[in-house]
Amino acid sequence: MATSVTGPQFEPVHERALTPAVGPAHDVDGFVRQFMRELNYSQGVPLSRSTLNDQYLALARTVRHYLMQGWIRTGKRRRDAGDKVIGYLSAEYLLGRQLDNALLAADLHDIAREAMRACGLDFDVLRAQEIEPGLGNGGLGRLAACFVDSLATMDVSCIGYGIRYEYGIFKQTFAAGKQVEVPDSWLALGSPWEFPQPDRAVQIDFGGHTESYTDDDGRERTRWVPSWNVQAIPYHLLVPGYRNNVVNTLRLWSARATNAFDLQLFNQGDYAEAVRAQTFAENITKVLYPEDSTPQGRELRLQQQYFFVAASLKDFIRHTLPQDFDLHHLPERVTFQLNDTHPVIGIPELMRLLIDEYDFEWDEAWDVTRQCFDYTCHTLLPEALEVWPVELLGRLLPRHLEIIYQLNEDFLEQVRERFDGDEVRARRMSMVQENPVRAIRMAHLATVAANKVNGVAALHSQLLRDKVLPDFSEMWPDKFTNVTNGVTPRRFVRIANPGMSELVTEAIGEGWLTDLERLAELEPFAEDSSFRERFRAVKAGNKDRLRQLLHHRDDIELDQDHMLDVMVKRLHEYKRQSLKLLHVVSLYEQIVSGEIDADSLVPRTVVFGAKAAPGYVMAKETIALINAVARTIDADERVKGRLAIAFPANYNVTLAETLIPAADLSEQISLAGKEASGTGNMKFALNGALTIGTDDGANVEIRELVGDENFFLFGMTEPDVAALQAKGYVPGDVYASSPRLKRTIDFLAGGHATGGRTSTAAAVIDDLLSHDRFMALADFDAYVEAQGRVEAKYADTEAWTRSAILNVARSGFFSSDRSMRDYLDRIWNVSARS
Ligand code: NBG
């Protein structure tokens, strides 16, 4: 007789692989044991013979252990519930160091510190071992990292898809003041935060041609016959939420040759040829394009884009959806957020998958596809909107080009119908540009397909509607929306500024870190003189921390008690580092000429941090010029102790975390209408720096929130800029009519701020006087005037501190948690669990 087994129901073993009984205990003892296991069994060394790197890797893997249970649980819970997934498609994630964030999320910081002490190790030295994964250029990549942090903290189902670049953003060094780029080998000493999954590889095709055929049901079909392919290997990284046991996933793709090498060629001794295919394939994810705001029309870049998007879509359908899922219901299970135009090739790819591989009719496929994508635009510079030459796209992805043509035909028919056959308009709106070369406008494709299109700050979204895509917003006004960027307060307040975090918690209690608007409760403390004193003490401590860091890291000696005036961001003409430099030169000139007494100046150190794209000549000239002026001022006894420039090389997330909390003044001085949002501006305000800024990007919202009296506004507005442009801008006229500007430029041109060498400033000055595309000269006088207001206020310590506290109290809006809530409400139609 058959017996049925009754008794306790066990969870399937694979789901309970980690129970508290086998996971490390949440105490010092448990941590130490796990650490020693990692050191001995994973690193394969005893403590006595371990290197710092061994110890760091063991520490990181120990912390990772504590997150795994949450990761497994989160995945299971989401699969069981059939949650709609946010598929965040981004070519960049500028993650920053992982250890501190993981320790904070899992509430392990104190335990880990104590455990390392018990092992006789210096916790801070180990933390400093980590090389940050610099898989992004600047704001766009950092924003993606902030967003995935917030979604995990809010318990929203999100998979971040991207590229595992073997070399991230280059490491910047200076040689004789000039930028030199060094490869960033972040993987060289091991990468403890990722899990490779070679068995989940996806094949990605390229090249070849298409052909028509009739299928078994007698339907006319098209088939893509590619000519080469590569393997995409996923690596997953953990994205822990803040103390909620939620761990989301980042899935980054690495390229590998389909056939590692040709054994026959190898055996014949032709080693180079034998591995050629491998080298070629692996080049796809070799390096991050070191560009920001200007696309490089490079084939490899398009390969990268298609590679990661195609891998992500296939992977989602195969591994995240249940087997046999009916793809007609895809929009119920996923929404793909296109982070700028880089992943837009995903639109024709989804069409192709549905039609060619899943037998959808064209209209059915379009109906599904257009519900699956939303598009965020991150720029206003026309040259930064990607276009792909038809010749290139057709050669690399012939089937996709056909699909785009068909989509465009259907779309233009709609345009003509709607606007009485307006051909001029149709040409403007077409996805295909005819001149100077026939090319696909990826922003148009994205806008047509997307459910929603958003800009990244109120002004930017308005300009996007009115100036960049006006025809589209006229056709589909409801498609356009705004979500103002935000930053994660976990990394940029709690980790970066522990002193201020403690002070805030003492004042208003816990809870603000996941509900940042609660910072508003700080407002009354601005009037409390003892609180102001403690606030200043925190700032002084942060400056001291920066002083020590720059001393060791860069051999830079920061003067004690200086106002720290900080401009950190990518080097770009529209951001106008040259305007900041002109201001410094102007102060210097005034002292040297005896117009002002050095002792009457508010002592100030101007800190620059900026990488220039390697091919961006003017940006590199500007870097060399800043360094030359820095050296000259530093060597001049007349300004010693009163004025200095510090330009640490290799500005990155790690440096930002020490630099921003130390700043007094935040420089956000782009030409109005050019900076889409900025996010550094938010980080500074949240850390109690006052902003000097133009009416641009998110500065507008910062000023509205913190109040005019706590913000130094200057310069032309966007309409002023447009009017001046229309009238014809002549920088030479500005130079001639502003005595202060003229003196400054003449002084600089005469080599007086560059150690006597006139050539150092020549390129920058020539450009400013002849083109000045971003109107730095036109805003110079206003900027200098605003800096006067800065000095006056800084001299009144209490007033300054009051404003600094109010900046913190009124900047809660700039949490990326709020941004994510806006995306959930306005774009994704998904609700957060918390
Ligand atoms: C950048 C903008 C910034 C903005 C970030 C994040 C690109 C293409 N754009 O102003 O220049 O803050 O995106 O939205 O990198």
Side-chain angles (χ1 to χ4, degrees), residues 139-140 143 292-293 340 378-379 456 485 574-575 675-679:
L140 175 143
L143 186 79
D292 199 19
S293 301
D340 223 66
H378 292 267
T379 187
V456 290
N485 284 343
Y574 84 79
K575 295 178 187 280
E675 187 70 272
S677 165
T679 44

Side-chain angles (χ1 to χ4, degrees), residues 439-453:
I440 304 301
R441 298 164 166 153
M442 301 308 270
H444 290 200
L445 170 57
T447 305
V448 172
N451 251 317
K452 292 281 180 187
V453 175

Side-chain angles (χ1 to χ4, degrees), residues 458-768:
L459 174 66
H460 173 233
S461 294
Q462 180 217 317
L463 294 171
L464 189 63
R465 270 190 303 255
D466 299 348
K467 297 209 161 167
V468 184
L469 299 168
D471 294 313
F472 292 87
S473 66
E474 195 183 338
M475 186 156 168
W476 296 305
D478 295 341
K479 208 181 251 224
F480 288 79
T481 186
N482 170 248
V483 177
T484 299
N485 284 343
V487 302
T488 171
R490 268 75 63 187
R491 181 178 293 271
F492 289 107
V493 181
R494 179 63 190 79
I495 293 173
N497 201 342
M500 193 185 83
S501 299
E502 206 174 299
L503 188 60
V504 170
T505 301
E506 261 178 54
I508 66 171
E510 306 270 351
W512 55 272
L513 208 48
T514 47
D515 182 7
L516 206 63
E517 301 269 7
R518 281 200 44 208
L519 286 178
E521 294 165 30
L522 268 186
E523 193 140 329
F525 290 88
E527 295 309 321
D528 173 340
S529 64
S530 79
F531 186 85
R532 287 200 300 270
E533 205 174 309
R534 288 161 73 204
F535 192 89
R536 275 196 297 276
V538 167
K539 187 64 85 185
N542 291 342
K543 284 186 185 179
D544 200 51
R545 202 167 50 136
L546 177 67
R547 209 170 47 73
Q548 291 176 34
L549 178 73
L550 293 188
H551 170 76
H552 290 113
R553 183 187 184 275
D554 304 272
D555 221 0
I556 290 174
E557 303 304 328
L558 275 192
D559 270 308
Q560 203 87 41
D561 301 329
H562 272 207
M563 175 209 281
L564 277 190
D565 173 354
V566 183
M567 182 160 190
V568 285
K569 48 188 78 252
R570 284 302 290 260
L571 201 313
H572 203 292
E573 287 158 283
Y574 84 79
K575 295 178 187 280
R576 304 198 295 189
Q577 278 91 352
S578 57
L579 177 58
K580 175 73 258 178
L581 186 67
L582 285 179
H583 171 239
V584 180
V585 173
S586 160
L587 290 175
Y588 182 49
E589 188 274 335
Q590 283 177 292
I591 297 170
V592 170
S593 69
E595 184 183 319
I596 56 173
D597 180 2
D599 292 339
S600 70
L601 266 190
V602 169
R604 171 186 321 229
T605 294
V606 176
V607 183
F608 286 96
K611 289 181 185 177
Y616 189 170
V617 175
M618 192 49 67
K620 292 181 123 176
E621 289 284 347
T622 308
I623 286 179
L625 179 57
I626 295 171
N627 277 326
V629 175
R631 266 200 314 273
T632 308
I633 292 182
D634 187 47
D636 192 334
E637 284 302 324
R638 292 171 292 187
V639 290
K640 259 240 145 32
R642 309 307 294 183
L643 183 64
I645 293 178
F647 192 170
N650 203 39
Y651 176 64
N652 59 8
V653 178
T654 305
L655 179 57
E657 288 171 24
T658 307
L659 192 41
I660 293 171
D664 296 303
L665 186 65
S666 157
E667 298 277 350
Q668 309 299 337
I669 60 177
S670 51
L671 176 64
K674 298 298 177 202
E675 187 70 272
S677 165
T679 44
N681 47 5
M682 303 170 184
K683 293 165 197 162
F684 281 101
L686 275 167
N687 281 282
L690 274 61
T691 306
I692 181 164
T694 46
D695 221 14
D696 199 17
N699 293 355
V700 176
E701 288 150 271
I702 293 177
R703 185 173 58 86
E704 273 166 16
L705 284 164
V706 306
D708 277 339
E709 60 297 354
N710 304 305
F711 186 108
F712 304 98
L713 175 69
F714 76 96
M716 293 180 287
T717 61
E718 193 278 330
D720 295 339
V721 171
L724 182 53
Q725 223 132 35
K727 192 175 105 196
Y729 172 58
V730 184
D733 290 353
V734 182
Y735 162 80
S737 65
S738 159
R740 181 86 188 257
L741 176 62
K742 185 167 185 312
R743 275 172 60 182
T744 304
I745 289 199
D746 292 350
F747 183 79
L748 188 59
H752 305 295
T754 50
R757 274 181 304 276
T758 49
S759 58
T760 317
V764 172
I765 292 180
D766 279 358
D767 188 79
L768 287 175

Side-chain angles (χ1 to χ4, degrees), residues 163 199 287 401 417 489 553 725-726 768 810:
I163 301 177
D199 54 330
V287 290
L401 182 60
E417 207 168 289
R553 183 187 184 275
Q725 223 132 35
L768 287 175
R810 296 175 181 175

Side-chain angles (χ1 to χ4, degrees), residues 333-386:
R333 298 299 290 267
V334 71
T335 177
F336 290 109
Q337 188 67 37
L338 301 166
N339 197 27
D340 223 66
T341 48
H342 317 143
V344 168
I345 196 68
I347 294 165
E349 170 64 3
L350 183 57
M351 288 294 285
R352 186 194 69 80
L353 278 176
L354 295 176
I355 295 169
D356 294 0
E357 297 192 10
Y358 291 93
D359 292 344
F360 276 47
E361 297 290 343
W362 177 274
D363 290 344
E364 278 180 307
W366 179 237
D367 197 43
V368 168
T369 300
R370 66 187 177 75
Q371 293 181 68
C372 282
F373 290 96
D374 298 294
Y375 163 53
T376 307
C377 174
H378 292 267
T379 187
L380 277 163
L381 304 182
E383 71 265 30
L385 295 175
E386 282 182 308

Side-chain angles (χ1 to χ4, degrees), residues 131 166-169 171 182-190:
I131 303 174
E166 198 178 324
Y167 295 92
I169 181 74
K171 191 169 161 209
V182 180
D184 152 62
S185 31
W186 69 287
L187 294 168
L189 291 177

